Amino acid sequence: MTLPPISSYLPILGWARSYTRDTAMSDLVAAIIVTIMLIPQSLAYALLAGLPAEMGLYASILPLVAYAVFGTSRTLAVGPVAVVSLMTAAAIGQLGLSDPADIALAAITLAFISGVFLTLLGILKLGFVANFLSHPVIAGFITASGILIAGSQLKHILGIDAHGETLVKLVPSLIEHLGQTNLITLVIGVLATAFLFWVRKGLKPLLVSLGVPKKLAEVGAKAGPVAAVVLTTLAAWTFDLGAHGVKLVGEVPTGLPPLSAPSFDVEMWRTLLLPAVLISIIGFVESVSVAQTLAAKRRQRISPDQELIGLGTSNIASAMSGGFPVTGGFSRSVVNFDAGAETPAAGAYTAIGIGVATLALTPLLFFLPTATLAATIIVAVLSLVDFSILKKTWVYSKVDFTAVAATIVLTLTLGVETGVSAGVLLSIFLHLYKTSKPHVAEVGLVPGTHHFRNVKRHKVDTLPDVLTLRVDESLYFVNARFLEEYVLGKVAVCNDLRHVVLMFPAVNDVDMSALETLEELNTRLGENGIDLHLTEVKGPVMDKLKRSHFLDALTGQVFLSQYDAWVALKGGGDLAAAQ
């Protein structure tokens, strides 16, 4: 057996061989832009996770380096993201901790568990587990999470003390404390939010109209959050707003991330295990979707299983350097892509930039109002809210609509973990429900052709003593009994029937339960003088059938094509079965 090349496990060995000065320059420019964007975001997402601001910076250094070594996407930007930060806060909240050091340790442990889980999935090539989360469920969960996140930041905009992990708890708490609103904080929060919304849409066209080169204008637009941070920090320092009740970030430790280790307390692991699994799967699905989309634009490819290892090692690196769970971020990755990043080295350069910020800039963050960070979060997450998915699924599939609506409602009312867990379970249940009643069509021959179509949709020819049914689903334990009852129901109302033909062009598998059902169906039809035939059976399915006694006991034949069966049964001949 030939082992895969080591570069398949260490993708850096692949792209590093062709690394040039021009590539390095492209990566460096992209890294500068992403660093400018990431500094306020990392602080804000640490706040969202209920953690000290510096942990956001720590989670944006070593994880980027780890991904550069083990990740396969050339442009994915790894770091703290809104949804994962919200899930981190919800997970740690279950522990009922009050000591900041214990809370930080829980976040580190959560990142470690998530990293180990993702890495193991990658090593075992089990990336398919993410497929249990359908796109509609993911869209519904992210939309609901965006609403929860934005709502949770209103307390910082208002300068009040409100709590609640769900909308049901959060809204009453906000209303109850509304009278405690700090007007200065409110002004800062509203102005910062309005400014950031304007920057997103209006700054770049304004700069271009003033003659600023397009690339430089894009950098200016991406630096909007930094401008908001600088301006509000200067205002808070100049007017000593902290003395007027404006909550400030306060002292942020200077220096590179400290080496850290997770807790191995059994009770903590038991509580955090399920949240870590959910964070891992949500993060992986979001990350790999972004990575695949961006890779396709450059005709590149990523390896989902290796991406699991890349994200897993990134989370382990975050845990070892005082951070919390990370994943690939949509907005940062798009910025990284648009800025011209050529390789994952751009992420490593970004890590250097964040490292410089932790060494030199953290003292300047003392007077940063938390309302500014809240505004940054609100503007970022509202772009995730997409209620159009409800209309799309309602029009296209009521089953998918049910999954989306349930995920949104449960996430808003019962919390993120309940919402996503229910979404996964509901998706699986609805899939089982749909496949439990497979589409079965009675078909006939389209005149003048060799094609067979549904008798209810087309004008076709049929044979009076032949019932031909096309099965449009693989057969397994959930739907096998349905097929048997459907066929026998049809047979009961067809007089002078001599043959039943089951077309299997869409049947990719027949499990043991379905095989036993086919055997029972063959026996019951035979007792009534009716032959059972199969047509268009796929090779892998035929291979399995040959390993059983079903074909030996089959009262009819297995035909290569439906038209062969038509000719043989119409003429009453004995066409040899094509097996």
Side-chain angles (χ1 to χ4, degrees):
M1 181 179 68
T2 303
L3 294 174
I6 191 172
S7 59
S8 65
Y9 299 104
L10 294 172
I12 188 174
L13 298 180
W15 56 262
R17 294 192 187 101
S18 58
Y19 203 68
T20 64
R21 180 178 297 178
D22 290 340
T23 305
M25 185 57 65
S26 297
D27 287 343
L28 189 58
V29 171
I32 292 172
I33 296 173
V34 174
T35 300
I36 291 172
M37 180 183 187
L38 185 54
I39 290 174
Q41 277 195 355
S42 60
L43 296 170
Y45 291 146
L47 177 73
L48 174 60
L51 302 170
E54 64 269 17
M55 290 188 70
L57 295 173
Y58 297 162
S60 304
I61 300 178
L62 281 189
L64 280 71
V65 177
Y67 185 82
V69 175
F70 294 99
T72 60
S73 171
R74 299 294 183 99
T75 53
L76 188 71
V78 172
V81 300
V83 173
V84 169
S85 297
L86 176 66
M87 296 180 73
T88 297
I92 296 175
Q94 296 180 16
L95 296 170
L97 303 174
S98 57
D99 185 357
D102 291 339
I103 293 173
L105 180 60
I108 290 169
T109 304
L110 188 63
F112 183 77
I113 299 173
S114 176
V116 171
F117 177 72
L118 286 167
T119 303
L120 286 176
L121 286 183
I123 293 173
L124 298 175
K125 299 189 181 301
L126 297 176
F128 69 88
V129 298
N131 296 334
F132 289 113
L133 275 174
S134 68
H135 178 264
V137 166
I138 286 287
F141 174 71
I142 291 178
T143 292
S145 297
I147 296 171
L148 277 180
I149 292 169
S152 70
Q153 297 309 296
L154 290 178
K155 64 181 180 181
H156 298 295
I157 298 292
L158 298 169
I160 63 177
D161 184 21
H163 301 282
E165 297 78 31
T166 67
L167 217 55
V168 175
K169 296 179 180 178
L170 182 60
V171 172
S173 182
L174 286 170
I175 295 173
E176 180 184 350
H177 295 88
L178 201 57
Q180 303 170 5
T181 300
N182 183 289
L183 293 179
I184 299 177
T185 301
L186 178 61
V187 169
I188 292 172
V190 171
L191 289 178
T193 304
F195 173 74
L196 292 173
F197 272 120
W198 174 77
V199 162
R200 283 203 160 197
K201 300 291 184 182
L203 184 57
K204 179 182 173 182
L206 176 62
L207 293 176
V208 171
S209 68
L210 294 175
V212 177
K214 186 177 179 181
K215 282 287 184 183
L216 194 57
E218 289 179 354
V219 175
K222 299 298 184 295
V226 175
V229 167
V230 171
L231 292 174
T232 56
T233 301
L234 283 174
W237 173 69
T238 303
F239 300 105
D240 192 18
L241 297 182
H244 294 82
V246 176
K247 188 176 180 181
L248 307 176
V249 169
E251 184 177 355
V252 177
T254 300
L256 293 175
L259 289 177
S260 58
S263 167
F264 290 98
D265 178 73
V266 175
E267 185 62 25
M268 180 178 287
W269 274 63
R270 186 190 66 79
T271 304
L272 294 180
L273 185 58
L274 178 59
V277 170
L278 294 176
I279 286 173
S280 300
I281 295 177
I282 290 288
F284 172 66
V285 171
E286 181 180 354
S287 178
V288 81
S289 298
V290 175
Q292 287 176 332
T293 300
L294 297 179
K297 291 183 177 181
R298 292 183 180 175
R299 297 187 178 182
Q300 297 169 346
R301 297 188 65 185
I302 68 165
S303 167
D305 288 324
Q306 184 61 33
E307 281 298 289
L308 284 166
I309 296 176
L311 292 175
T313 53
S314 295
N315 276 281
I316 293 174
S318 184
M320 296 303 179
S321 57
F324 58 98
V326 298
T327 191
F330 175 75
S331 58
R332 286 196 301 274
S333 298
V334 171
V335 169
N336 198 36
F337 179 90
D338 291 340
E342 296 286 344
T343 72
Y349 297 152
T350 300
I352 294 173
I354 301 296
V356 171
T358 63
L359 287 171
L361 301 181
T362 50
L364 303 177
L365 298 173
F366 184 92
F367 288 96
L368 172 60
T370 56
T372 303
L373 296 180
T376 302
I377 294 173
I378 289 172
V379 173
V381 300
L382 286 183
S383 63
L384 302 176
V385 177
D386 178 22
F387 284 112
S388 67
I389 190 66
L390 290 171
K391 180 180 179 181
K392 292 175 184 176
T393 53
W394 176 261
V395 172
Y396 187 76
S397 169
K398 299 299 187 295
V399 171
D400 286 332
F401 171 82
T402 302
V404 173
T407 302
I408 291 176
V409 171
L410 291 173
T411 301
L412 291 176
T413 57
L414 298 179
V416 291
E417 287 184 19
T418 302
V420 71
S421 300
V424 173
L425 294 176
L426 188 58
S427 293
I428 295 173
F429 171 77
L430 292 175
H431 170 72
L432 293 175
Y433 175 76
K434 286 190 292 186
T435 57
S436 70
K437 297 181 179 181
H439 182 260
V440 180
E442 182 179 351
V443 299
L445 179 67
V446 178
T449 73
H450 290 187
H451 300 294
F452 291 80
R453 293 293 184 268
N454 193 329
V455 297
K456 295 181 179 179
R457 296 176 179 268
H458 302 271
K459 292 182 178 180
V460 294
D461 295 333
T462 58
L463 300 176
D465 59 347
V466 177
L467 173 65
T468 302
L469 300 174
R470 189 188 68 227
V471 183
D472 294 333
E473 187 76 58
S474 292
L475 298 176
Y476 68 123
F477 66 95
V478 172
N479 59 23
R481 189 65 60 189
F482 171 85
L483 177 65
E484 180 183 13
E485 293 175 356
Y486 185 91
V487 173
L488 294 177
K490 281 282 187 180
V491 170
V493 297
C494 295
N495 299 322
D496 303 322
L497 197 64
R498 294 178 53 204
H499 304 279
V500 170
V501 182
L502 296 181
M503 286 182 66
F504 275 15
V507 177
N508 297 312
D509 188 34
V510 175
D511 76 355
M512 194 65 195
S513 297
L515 175 64
E516 292 175 354
T517 297
L518 290 176
E519 291 173 340
E520 177 66 19
L521 184 61
N522 180 62
T523 300
R524 294 184 65 175
L525 290 176
E527 291 173 350
N528 289 281
I530 301 173
D531 293 337
L532 176 64
H533 308 270
L534 303 180
T535 68
E536 302 185 12
V537 182
K538 292 184 175 180
V541 176
M542 180 60 76
D543 291 340
K544 292 184 70 174
L545 294 179
K546 285 180 178 179
R547 294 197 293 269
S548 71
H549 298 291
F550 173 70
L551 295 180
D552 296 331
L554 188 64
T555 54
Q557 302 180 61
V558 180
F559 295 95
L560 182 63
S561 72
Q562 179 58 34
Y563 189 74
D564 288 342
W566 172 276
V567 172
L569 300 178
K570 179 182 180 181
D574 188 25
L575 185 68
Q579 300 185 27

